[in-house]
Amino acid sequence: IYNLPLLFQLDLNDNFLSGTISSAIGNLENLQFLQLEVNKFTGTIPETLGNIPNLIVLEVFGNELNGTMPDGICQNRNTQNGFIGRLTADCDPDDTPRVDCPVPECCTACPF
């Protein structure tokens, strides 16, 4: 899947996928929509997602992710040159984020 340079939408919602999100996902340079919510992904959000220049939607809530939102993603969020318009990170059922967003306006509210 990581060798599909023209892929612009990847929707893997609600598939009970597990493991980590591969850093190779950053190779999908034409990706605009990445929807990985409601699976069983663990670990952190790959830094390489910040290298995707046209990413508009990034949804990773409903998993078991942790850590900090990569700087590259936050830099592409709501800036003059940024494109990411919708970004939902991982949250506990009580709406407590488990992915830390050091830039407050980087992550949107928890969707639960």
Side-chain angles (χ1 to χ4, degrees), residues 39-55:
N39 283 292
K40 295 187 180 292
F41 289 117
T42 58
T44 60
I45 297 171
E47 293 276 342
T48 57
L49 283 175
N51 299 335
I52 302 174
N54 299 314
L55 193 61

Side-chain angles (χ1 to χ4, degrees), residues 21 36-37 45 58-63 65 69 87-90:
I21 301 170
L36 303 175
E37 69 262 24
I45 297 171
L58 173 59
E59 294 180 333
V60 293
F61 66 88
N63 288 287
L65 298 169
M69 186 62 64
L87 169 62
T88 53
D90 215 16

